[in-house]
């Protein structure tokens, strides 16, 4: 009798274990922030657009028309219907200030980050976090380094290269944001 009970318990145990061996599905592939399609419509026109600049940008330059770069970004993004959140790094620790600014902008729900990096390699982790949150990152000037940690191999989705004037830089940047808002992929370059 004891052997029969032991045999029944063993058989039930095998059935329970066999029931645990189902097929498992592979985790879904994360969506890259640059995977915009016309079907998703981009994002709301009144979305927050984060801008992270260097301290030198806060002073009007000779080609700026006496308007500091942060103010020009605020004006032009607002005119285009977005809600700009412009952060300027301090002179003492620009890389640390920019890391904190990127983290704060991602937490605040920014859909796009325009980043003029003091030390591009110092932002690698924060840019990856932005990607993981679905934020599109646009490098202003120097490219941001590839991270590879999220499988996408890029830190910035797009790049607006330096131009001869602040107005041109801001104009090209706003055009990129408008394309992204419509769900279009702007030309890289």
């Amino acid at each position: 009798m004891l052997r029969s009970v032991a045999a029944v318990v063993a058989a039930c145990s095998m059935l329970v274990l066999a029931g645990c061996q189902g097929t498992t599905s592979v985790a879904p592939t994360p969506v890259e922030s640059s995977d915009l399609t016309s079907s998703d419509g981009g994002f709301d026109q009144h979305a927050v657009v984060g801008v992270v600049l260097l301290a030198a940008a806060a002073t009007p330059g000779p080609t700026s028309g006496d308007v500091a770069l942060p103010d020009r970004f605020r004006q032009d993004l607002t005119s285009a219907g977005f809600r700009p959140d412009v952060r300027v790094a301090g002179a003492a620790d620009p890389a640390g200030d920019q890391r904190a600014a990127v983290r704060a902008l991602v937490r605040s729900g920014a859909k796009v980050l325009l980043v003029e990096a003091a030390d591009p390699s110092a932002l690698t982790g924060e840019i990856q976090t932005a990607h993981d949150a679905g934020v599109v990152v646009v490098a202003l000037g120097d490219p941001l380094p590839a991270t590879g940690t999220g499988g996408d191999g890029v830190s910035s989705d797009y790049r607006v290269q330096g131009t001869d004037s602040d107005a041109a830089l801001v104009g090209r940047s706003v055009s990129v944001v408008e394309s992204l808002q419509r769900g279009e992929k702007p030309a890289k370059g």
Side-chain angles (χ1 to χ4, degrees):
M1 173 93 142
L2 226 36
R3 287 184 187 212
S4 319
V5 171
V8 170
V9 169
C12 288
S13 296
M14 290 172 60
L15 287 174
V16 168
L17 290 176
C20 292
Q21 296 176 349
T23 59
T24 58
S25 61
V26 177
T29 303
V31 176
E32 290 182 32
S33 57
S34 61
D35 286 344
L36 299 173
T37 64
S38 58
S39 64
D40 71 9
F43 50 84
D44 182 51
Q45 183 176 6
H46 304 290
V48 173
V49 175
V51 183
V52 180
L53 300 170
L54 298 172
T59 310
T63 62
S64 67
D66 294 329
V67 177
L69 190 57
D71 294 331
R72 188 174 298 277
F73 268 110
R74 282 185 198 96
Q75 292 168 2
D76 290 10
L77 286 167
T78 300
S79 293
F82 300 105
R83 292 183 303 144
D85 188 343
V86 180
R87 311 283 175 107
V88 179
D93 182 17
D97 290 349
Q98 287 188 326
R99 283 192 302 272
V102 168
R103 283 191 303 268
L105 290 165
V106 169
R107 279 193 308 271
S108 72
K111 298 297 181 188
V112 177
L113 291 179
L114 304 170
V115 181
E116 177 189 35
D119 177 3
S121 63
L123 293 174
T124 302
E126 283 71 22
I127 299 302
Q128 187 62 53
T129 299
H131 273 172
D132 293 346
V135 179
V136 179
V137 179
V138 179
L140 300 177
D142 293 335
L144 298 170
T147 64
T149 59
D152 60 9
V154 296
S155 282
S156 59
D157 297 296
Y158 301 99
R159 179 177 173 208
V160 176
Q161 294 182 14
T163 62
D164 57 348
S165 73
D166 288 351
L169 175 68
V170 173
R172 289 179 63 198
S173 300
V174 171
S175 291
V176 167
V177 174
E178 288 173 329
S179 292
L180 295 169
Q181 183 271 324
R182 291 188 301 267
E184 300 169 358
K185 289 186 178 186
K188 291 191 179 197

